[in-house]
C-alpha cells in the first residue's frame, strides 16, 4: 500500500520492490501495489496500523516524516511510529541547502552578513526542508522569510531559477539527477550546507548542520529532524506480525535490494539505493525517536511553524 | 534546428516507434473513455513497460496514450454528461444538451475535429516556442500566475447563461469548497469536519462526476426516455455536420486553440482553466449568447480545441524546465528521467535532444490525426447509444459513475462524495443554478490562493506594478464589463 498517488517517489520505490521481492519469498508470491493517497499518507499509515491484518500479507510505505505528526500530538494520528512492524528502508537521503549564487552567499557566515533575510521557498511548513530551515534559525541564529504555497518541489525549483526565491532545501540526489545544470558553471546555486549530524560519504566537502551546532540539545534536535532521512523510503507493516514471518519479509527485503536485476532497474529509473536500513535498525531508530524527552519534543515542535 | 525537426518526424514514423504509438493510442482510447480512470494513472501504470524502449519509442507510446485520452474524454462528457477527464467538463455544458436535441453526431464530430485542430496548434506552439521557451516561461512568476487565474475567474460572467447573480454565487460556493483542507501557509485545517479524508481538500473527480453525472441519470430515470429525448422521428444530424461546423467557425477554433496552448504553458493551470476560458471566449464572441447552455455548437468547439492544444503547451515547461504542468505531465517527467532525458536546456538544444522534443511534437500531430480519423469512422455507431432506452443505459452509466469516482483513490469516501455532490447537482439543475461556475471556483480557488499568497509574501504590494500583471488586470476589467457594454450597444441598436 502506497500513501500517495501513482507516479511519485514513494510509489516508484514500492513498485520497484513489488517487481523483485517476490522471488525471495517461498512460493514467489505476486505483489499487488495499491495506492491509497490522502492526508500526506496519514490515511495509508493509519490503515496499515489498525485496519490491515498482521498476517504478513500487507505492508506499505508512507512519508518518511510521519513521526512528526505523532510528536506534535495531532489527534488524527492513529498509529505509533515505533510500533509498526518495520520491514526496512530502501535508501537514505541527504538534504542540502542551496542558495542562489547571484546573492553571493557561500556559507552560513555569508547569510548572517546580509542586510535582509533570504526568501526560502517551499510547499508548506513542517516538511523536511522547512524543518531544516527552522532548525537553522533556532540553532544558528539565522532568519529567513518563508514563501509558502508552491505546489511541489518542481514549482519552487522553477521559482529559484526565476529569482522569485533565494534559498531552498531539497534532496541532493534529486539535484544531481534532475537539475545538474544548476551546478555547471556559471552556477545557479551554491550548496551552503547539508542536513544531518555528520557529512554524508556522498558529499564530503559541504559542512553538516551537526558540525555547526555546539550544544548537546541542538545536536539532539538535528538528529531528530534527520531521522526521517535515514529511513528515507520506509516500509512498514501492521504491529503484531508474527516474528518468523516478519523475519522472512525483512530478509526478502534486504536480499531484493541487493538483487542485480532490481539494482539495474533502480539505476534506469534514477532511484537511488544508498545505505538501505534493515528492519531491525529501523525499529531501533523509530523507538529512539518516539521516546525523546519532552524538552526535545518542545524544541522540535517549534520547528513546525514559523518563528513568532 | 531544422534537422532536429525532420529527424523527429522520421524517428516517429520509423517502425518500432510507430507501432508503440498505435499501442499507446489503443490503451489511451479505453482509458480516456472511462470516466475517473485518468490518463495520469494509466501512464503511471505503464511506466515499467518502457524500460526496454528507446527514448523515441517511449515518447511515442506515452504521448500516443496521453493525447488520445484528452481527445476521447470528450466523448463521455457529451454522451453521458460524465467527464472522461476533469479537463472535459466544459464540453458538457453545450455538448450534452445537443445530445438531448438528437444532435449527438454533430456534437461528437465538432468536439473531435476541433480537438484535432487544437492538438495541431498545441504541437505547433511547442515546436515554435522551443528557441524562446526558457526566457518566455521565466517571465511568468507567481504574480502573473495569479492574474491569469483571476482572468479565468472573471470569465465566470459569461458562464451564467441566465442569471449572473446565480453564476457568481455558484462560483463563490466553488471557491469555498476549494478552501477545504490544510491551509498551505499555516497548516490549519479548514472545514475538514474532523475527517482525514478531507485533509487535502474535496477530491475533484468525485465532485465533478457526481455533480454532472447523477442529475443526468436521475433525469433519464424520471422522464423514462433515452439520452436523446427526441424520438425516432427527430432528424439525426450527423457527424459531417459537426466537422463542417468546425470549419465554419475556424476563427473561433484557432483562437481557442491558441488560448489553450498559452494557458497550458503555465504550470499548474492547465486543463482546469483552459476549457473554461475557451468556453467563456466562445460565449462572448457570439452575437447571440442565449443559445449557450442549450446546445450551441460553439460551446463544444471552444473547449474541444483548448483541451487538446493545452497538451502541447503543457509539454513546454515539463520538457524545458522539468516543471510538470499537471499530474499527467509529472508522470511523463518521471518517464523522461527513466529514459535518461533530463529536462532542461538540453531538451531544446539542437545539438543534444531537440530531436526528441520534436518527436513529441510529431507524435501529438500524428496520433491525434489517426485517433480522430478512426473515431470519426465509428462515431455514427457510437451515436446509436443515445437511442437506447434509458432503462438499459441507467444501470450501466451509474456503475460507470461510481466506479470512476472510486478508481481514483480507492477511498470509500469518494462514493459518499459522489452522492453528496450528486444531490447538490440535482438541486442546482432543478432550481436552474449553473454548475459550471462552481467547478471553476473549485479548480481555481486553491491556485488563486496559493499564488496570491506567494506574490504578497515575496513582493509585498509591488507585484501589482509588474508589466504583465498590469496587462492582465486590464484584460480582466474588459472581460467583466464586456457583457454590460454589449448589452448597452444592443439596446441602443434597438432604439435606433
Amino acid at each position: 500500500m502506497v500513501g500517495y498517488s501513482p507516479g511519485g517517489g514513494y510509489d516508484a520505490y514500492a513498485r520497484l520492490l513489488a517487481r523483485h521481492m517476490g522471488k525471495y519469498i517461498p512460493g514467489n508470491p505476486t505483489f499487488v501495489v495499491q495506492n491509497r493517497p490522502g492526508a500526506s499518507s496519514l490515511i495509508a499509515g493509519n490503515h496499515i496500523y489498525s485496519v490491515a491484518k498482521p498476517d504478513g500479507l500487507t505492508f506499505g510505505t508512507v512519508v518518511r516524516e510521519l513521526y512528526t505528526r505523532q510528536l506534535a500530538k495531532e489527534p488524527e494520528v492513529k498509529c505509533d511510529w515505533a510500533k509498526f512492524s518495520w520491514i526496512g528502508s530502501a535508501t537514505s537521503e541527504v538534504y542540502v541547502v542551496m542558495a542562489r549564487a547571484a546573492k553571493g552567499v557561500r556559507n552560513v557566515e555569508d547569510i548572517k552578513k546580509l542586510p535582509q533575510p533570504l526568501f526560502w521557498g517551499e510547499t508548506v511548513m513542517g516538511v523536511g526542508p522547512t524543518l531544516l530551515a527552522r532548525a537553522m534559525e533556532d540553532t544558528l541564529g539565522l532568519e529567513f522569510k518563508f514563501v509558502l504555497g508552491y505546489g511541489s518541489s518542481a514549482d519552487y525549483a522553477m521559482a529559484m531559477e526565476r529569482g522569485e526565491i533565494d534559498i531552498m532545501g531539497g534532496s541532493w540526489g534529486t539535484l544531481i539527477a534532475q537539475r545538474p545544470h544548476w551546478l555547471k558553471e556559471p552556477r545557479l546555486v551554491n550548496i551552503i550546507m547539508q542536513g544531518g549530524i555528520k557529512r554524508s560519504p556522498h558529499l564530503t566537502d559541504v559542512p553538516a548542520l551537526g558540525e555547526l551546532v555546539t550544544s548537546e540539545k541542538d545536536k539532539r534536535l538535528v538528529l531528530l529532524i534527520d531521522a526521517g532521512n535515514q529511513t528515507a523510503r520506509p516500509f512498514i507493516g501492521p504491529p503484531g506480525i508474527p516474528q518468523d514471518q516478519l523475519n522472512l519479509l525483512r530478509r526478502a527485503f534486504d536480499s531484493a535490494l541487493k538483487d542485480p536485476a532490481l539494482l539495474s532497474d533502480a539505476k534506469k529509473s534514477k532511484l537511488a539505493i544508498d545505505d538501505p536500513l534493515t528492519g531491525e535498525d529501523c525499529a531501533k531508530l523509530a523507538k529512539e525517536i518516539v521516546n525523546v524527552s519532552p524538552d526535545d519534543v518542545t524544541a522540535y515542535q517549534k520547528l513546525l511553524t514559523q518563528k513568532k | 534546428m531544422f534537422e532536429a525537426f525532420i529527424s523527429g518526424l522520421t524517428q516517429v514514423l520509423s517502425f518500432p516507434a510507430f507501432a508503440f504509438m498505435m499501442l499507446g493510442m489503443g490503451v489511451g482510447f479505453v482509458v480516456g473513455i472511462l470516466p475517473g480512470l485518468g490518463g495520469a494513472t494509466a501512464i503511471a501504470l505503464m511506466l515499467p513497460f518502457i524500460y526496454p524502449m528507446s527514448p523515441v519509442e517511449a515518447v511515442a507510446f506515452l504521448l500516443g496514450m496521453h493525447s488520445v485520452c484528452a481527445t476521447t474524454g470528450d466523448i463521455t462528457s457529451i454522451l453521458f454528461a460524465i467527464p472522461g477527464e476533469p479537463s472535459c467538463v466544459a464540453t458538457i455544458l453545450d455538448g450534452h444538451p445537443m445530445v438531448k436535441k438528437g444532435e449527438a453526431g454533430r456534437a461528437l464530430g465538432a468536439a473531435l475535429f476541433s480537438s484535432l485542430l487544437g492538438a495541431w496548434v498545441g504541437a505547433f506552439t511547442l515546436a515554435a516556442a522551443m528557441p524562446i521557451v526558457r526566457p518566455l516561461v521565466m517571465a511568468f512568476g507567481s504574480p502573473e500566475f495569479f492574474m491569469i487565474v483571476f482572468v479565468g475567474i472573471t470569465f465566470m460572467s459569461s458562464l451564467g447563461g441566465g442569471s449572473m447573480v446565480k453564476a457568481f454565487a455558484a462560483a463563490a460556493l466553488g471557491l469555498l469548497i476549494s478552501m477545504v483542507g490544510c491551509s498551505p501557509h499555516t497548516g490549519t485545517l479548514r472545514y475538514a469536519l474532523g475527517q482525514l479524508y478531507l485533509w487535502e481538500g474535496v477530491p475533484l473527480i468525485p465532485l465533478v462526476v457526481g455533480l454532472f453525472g447523477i442529475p443526468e441519470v436521475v433525469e433519464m430515470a424520471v422522464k423514462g426516455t433515452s439520452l436523446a429525448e427526441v424520438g425516432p422521428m427527430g432528424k439525426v444530424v450527423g457527424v459531417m455536420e459537426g466537422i463542417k461546423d468546425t470549419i465554419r467557425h475556424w476563427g473561433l477554433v484557432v483562437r481557442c486553440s491558441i488560448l489553450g496552448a498559452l494557458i497550458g504553458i503555465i504550470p499548474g493551470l492547465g486543463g482546469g482553466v483552459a476549457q473554461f476560458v475557451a468556453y467563456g471566449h466562445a460565449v462572448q464572441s457570439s452575437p447571440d449568447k442565449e443559445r449557450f447552455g442549450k446546445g450551441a455548437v460553439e460551446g463544444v468547439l471552444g473547449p474541444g480545441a483548448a483541451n487538446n492544444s493545452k497538451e502541447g503547451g503543457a509539454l513546454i515547461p515539463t520538457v524545458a524546465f522539468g516543471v510538470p504542468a499537471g499530474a499527467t505531465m509529472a508522470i511523463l517527467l518521471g518517464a523522461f528521467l527513466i529514459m535518461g532525458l533530463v529536462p532542461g536546456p538540453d531538451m531544446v538544444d539542437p545539438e543534444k535532444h531537440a530531436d526528441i522534443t520534436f518527436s513529441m511534437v510529431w507524435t501529438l500531430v500524428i496520433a491525434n490525426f489517426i485517433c480522430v480519423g478512426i473515431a470519426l469512422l465509428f462515431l455514427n455507431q457510437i451515436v446509436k447509444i443515445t437511442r437506447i432506452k434509458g432503462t438499459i443505459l441507467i444501470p450501466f452509466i451509474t456503475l460507470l459513475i461510481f466506479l470512476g469516482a472510486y478508481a481514483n483513490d480507492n477511498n470509500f469516501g469518494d462514493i459518499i462524495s459522489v452522492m453528496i455532490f450528486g444531490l447538490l447537482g440535482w438541486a442546482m439543475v432543478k432550481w436552474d443554478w449553473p454548475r459550471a461556475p462552481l467547478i471553476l471556483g473549485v479548480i481555481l480557488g486553491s491556485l488563486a490562493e496559493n499564488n496570491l499568497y506567494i506574490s504578497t509574501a515575496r513582493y509585498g504590494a509591488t507585484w501589482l506594478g509588474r508589466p504583465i500583471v498590469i496587462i492582465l488586470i486590464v484584460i480582466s476589467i474588459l472581460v467583466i464589463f464586456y457583457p454590460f457594454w454589449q448589452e448597452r450597444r444592443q439596446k441602443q441598436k434597438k432604439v435606433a
Side-chain angles (χ1 to χ4, degrees):
Chain A
M1 180 171 301
V2 181
Y4 286 99
S5 313
Y10 289 94
D11 179 73
Y13 277 91
R15 290 183 192 273
L16 181 70
L17 274 165
R19 284 196 292 278
H20 298 281
M21 200 164 142
K23 51 173 127 74
Y24 293 98
I25 298 181
N28 197 356
T30 316
F31 280 69
V32 176
V33 176
Q34 195 190 49
N35 297 83
R36 189 170 290 247
S40 306
S41 79
L42 184 56
I43 290 191
N46 284 348
H47 183 100
I48 295 172
Y49 194 77
S50 10
V51 178
K53 293 211 223 10
D55 53 9
L57 295 176
T58 309
F59 65 93
T61 180
V62 295
V63 72
R64 67 186 69 131
E65 292 118 357
L66 200 63
Y67 62 86
T68 307
R69 299 193 190 272
Q70 189 179 338
L71 287 178
K73 296 213 187 340
E74 289 182 16
E76 292 87 358
V77 176
K78 308 257 190 296
C79 53
D80 186 325
W81 192 242
K83 296 202 182 120
F84 279 116
S85 299
W86 278 88
I87 317 265
S89 158
T91 187
S92 65
E93 186 74 84
V94 180
Y95 274 169
V96 288
V97 176
M98 30 200 148
R100 279 197 305 128
K103 283 309 235 188
V105 293
R106 312 188 82 102
N107 49 46
V108 172
E109 289 311 311
D110 288 343
I111 299 183
K112 283 192 180 156
K113 293 195 200 120
L114 290 174
Q116 297 280 8
L118 291 170
F119 289 104
W120 187 299
E122 186 49 74
T123 49
V124 289
M125 295 305 295
V127 292
T130 36
L131 290 175
L132 194 52
R134 286 285 296 112
M136 286 166 78
E137 285 187 326
D138 284 354
T139 60
L140 301 175
L142 299 174
E143 193 188 332
F144 300 110
K145 183 97 171 51
F146 289 99
V147 181
L148 305 168
Y150 289 100
S152 70
S153 60
D155 292 306
Y156 58 81
M158 199 159 140
M160 191 79 157
E161 293 203 27
R162 239 188 271 133
E164 196 168 86
I165 58 172
D166 304 315
I167 185 170
M168 61 180 258
S171 147
W172 170 246
T174 309
L175 176 65
I176 48 183
Q178 291 186 15
R179 296 185 259 277
H181 57 280
W182 281 17
L183 295 172
K184 292 206 191 96
E185 297 300 334
R187 317 188 110 212
L188 181 73
V189 295
N190 290 326
I191 312 287
I192 306 287
M193 66 166 224
Q194 52 180 299
I197 202 76
K198 58 186 191 329
R199 301 186 188 198
S200 151
H202 305 282
L203 192 57
T204 50
D205 48 2
V206 172
L209 181 58
E211 299 166 25
L212 301 172
V213 302
T214 42
S215 74
E216 276 309 308
K217 193 169 190 302
D218 286 345
K219 286 202 208 269
R220 283 200 304 273
L221 191 61
V222 171
L223 257 176
L224 199 50
I225 56 177
D226 198 51
N229 281 348
Q230 290 182 47
T231 52
R233 301 291 178 186
F235 285 85
I236 44 171
I241 296 184
Q243 194 61 42
D244 51 350
Q245 274 179 336
L246 184 56
N247 287 341
L248 184 64
L249 287 171
R250 284 174 170 174
R251 301 294 75 87
F253 183 81
D254 298 337
S255 307
L257 289 174
K258 299 199 183 84
D259 180 287
L262 180 143
L263 290 173
S264 147
D265 243 357
K267 197 148 177 255
K268 280 200 218 132
S269 317
K270 301 278 196 324
L271 300 175
I273 310 279
D274 291 329
D275 310 316
L277 222 52
T278 62
E280 288 86 348
D281 287 337
C282 289
K284 233 188 290 168
L285 187 59
K287 218 161 152 204
E288 272 173 34
I289 295 173
V290 160
N291 288 318
V292 289
S293 74
D295 276 345
D296 287 338
V297 173
T298 319
Y300 183 76
Q301 282 177 323
K302 290 213 190 85
L303 305 182
L304 298 174
T305 52
Q306 302 195 36
K307 243 194 315 203
K308 298 279 183 281
Chain B
M1 195 59 100
F2 189 65
E3 296 81 39
F5 184 70
I6 300 294
S7 164
L9 174 61
T10 48
Q11 288 184 66
V12 170
L13 291 178
S14 69
F15 180 58
F18 195 76
F20 281 120
M21 185 176 74
M22 297 297 292
L23 185 61
M25 281 170 56
V27 176
F29 194 89
V30 173
V31 170
I33 288 205
L34 292 175
L37 185 62
T41 312
I43 295 187
L45 294 175
M46 293 291 142
L47 279 183
F49 297 109
I50 69 171
Y51 291 143
M53 301 183 198
S54 80
V56 175
E57 286 164 11
V59 160
F61 178 64
L62 291 174
L63 277 185
M65 186 170 18
H66 177 59
S67 51
V68 166
C69 278
T71 310
T72 55
D74 283 330
I75 297 184
T76 42
S77 289
I78 292 176
L79 285 182
F80 307 127
I82 305 174
E85 301 267 316
S87 57
C88 300
V89 171
T91 350
I92 299 178
L93 300 174
D94 272 281
H96 194 63
M98 282 178 80
V99 167
K100 292 202 199 152
K101 285 200 290 184
E103 292 185 332
R106 186 176 176 197
L108 289 172
L112 286 179
F113 206 65
S114 62
S115 293
L116 178 61
L117 294 183
W120 282 356
V121 170
F124 175 71
T125 311
L126 175 60
M130 270 168 66
I132 54 163
V133 73
R134 288 184 72 88
L136 179 71
V137 180
M138 284 287 123
F140 281 78
S142 301
E144 287 77 16
F145 294 171
F146 171 72
M147 280 317 301
I148 293 181
V149 174
F150 189 76
V151 168
I153 295 181
T154 55
F155 269 101
M156 236 138 29
S157 53
S158 26
L159 291 178
S163 157
M164 259 225 248
V165 173
K166 280 184 182 172
F168 277 105
L173 182 59
L175 286 173
L176 188 66
I177 294 177
S178 80
M179 302 279 147
V180 171
C182 276
S183 151
H185 326 302
T186 55
T188 339
L189 274 180
R190 304 186 292 203
Y191 299 115
L193 307 176
Q195 297 292 328
L196 265 186
Y197 174 68
L198 293 174
W199 270 32
E200 283 167 9
V202 176
L204 186 61
I205 297 209
L207 188 156
V208 168
V209 166
L211 196 71
F212 284 93
I214 301 254
E216 290 310 316
V217 170
V218 168
E219 201 184 304
M220 263 205 298
V222 162
K223 286 197 189 159
T225 56
S226 57
L227 279 171
E229 287 161 13
V230 176
M233 276 83 77
K235 203 173 112 171
V236 177
V237 183
V239 170
M240 269 321 287
E241 192 61 30
I243 298 181
K244 285 193 211 153
D245 283 319
T246 315
I247 301 177
R248 237 177 266 154
H249 297 278
W250 69 271
L252 176 69
V253 172
V254 169
R255 286 194 307 270
C256 287
S257 302
I258 295 179
L259 273 174
L262 292 177
I263 295 180
I265 297 181
I266 314 294
L269 290 189
V273 182
Q275 51 176 336
F276 288 111
V277 171
Y279 185 82
H281 175 69
V283 171
Q284 290 209 331
S285 59
S286 159
D288 180 11
K289 295 195 196 352
E290 299 302 310
R291 294 180 301 126
F292 285 88
K294 301 187 187 109
V297 76
E298 294 96 315
V300 171
L301 293 173
N307 259 347
N308 287 67
S309 62
K310 76 168 195 316
E311 296 305 330
L315 278 174
I316 294 177
T318 309
V319 160
F321 290 97
V323 178
T328 326
M329 288 291 144
I331 299 175
L332 271 171
L333 189 60
F336 294 153
L337 291 172
I338 291 177
M339 295 183 273
L341 300 173
V342 179
D346 285 354
M347 291 296 288
V348 295
D349 185 344
E351 307 291 319
K352 304 246 181 76
H353 293 304
D355 59 333
I356 303 207
T357 310
F358 276 116
S359 73
M360 294 182 204
V361 171
W362 286 111
T363 308
L364 285 178
V365 167
I366 298 174
N368 269 288
F369 181 69
I370 299 179
C371 167
V372 171
I374 295 180
L376 287 175
L377 290 176
F378 286 109
L379 265 186
N380 273 314
Q381 310 305 317
I382 296 179
V383 163
K384 294 202 176 133
I385 295 181
T386 61
R387 309 214 147 256
I388 300 178
K389 274 190 66 113
T391 43
I392 302 179
L393 266 189
I394 289 173
F396 170 68
I397 297 182
T398 315
L399 179 66
L400 219 56
I401 291 177
F402 283 100
L403 204 60
Y406 184 75
N408 200 37
D409 281 344
N410 292 320
N411 194 324
F412 193 74
D414 286 343
I415 304 274
I416 305 196
S417 289
V418 170
M419 294 199 284
I420 294 179
F421 287 107
L423 189 61
L424 178 64
W426 174 82
M428 288 176 88
V429 168
K430 190 163 163 59
W431 286 303
D432 204 30
W433 281 64
R435 289 166 292 171
L438 190 147
I439 301 287
L440 192 63
V442 173
I443 293 178
L444 298 186
S446 42
L447 282 175
E449 190 190 2
N450 287 341
N451 282 305
L452 179 60
Y453 187 86
I454 293 176
S455 304
T456 38
R458 173 59 178 89
Y459 297 109
T462 63
W463 67 269
L464 284 163
R466 289 158 67 108
I468 302 184
V469 172
I470 294 183
I471 296 176
L472 290 167
I473 292 180
V474 169
I475 294 181
S476 39
I477 294 179
L478 286 176
V479 169
I480 295 178
F481 285 107
Y482 185 67
F484 293 113
W485 180 61
Q486 247 200 348
E487 224 180 279
R488 267 186 65 186
R489 262 204 333 177
Q490 281 179 340
K491 280 202 191 123
Q492 283 173 348
K493 272 195 199 149
K494 283 193 191 140
V495 168

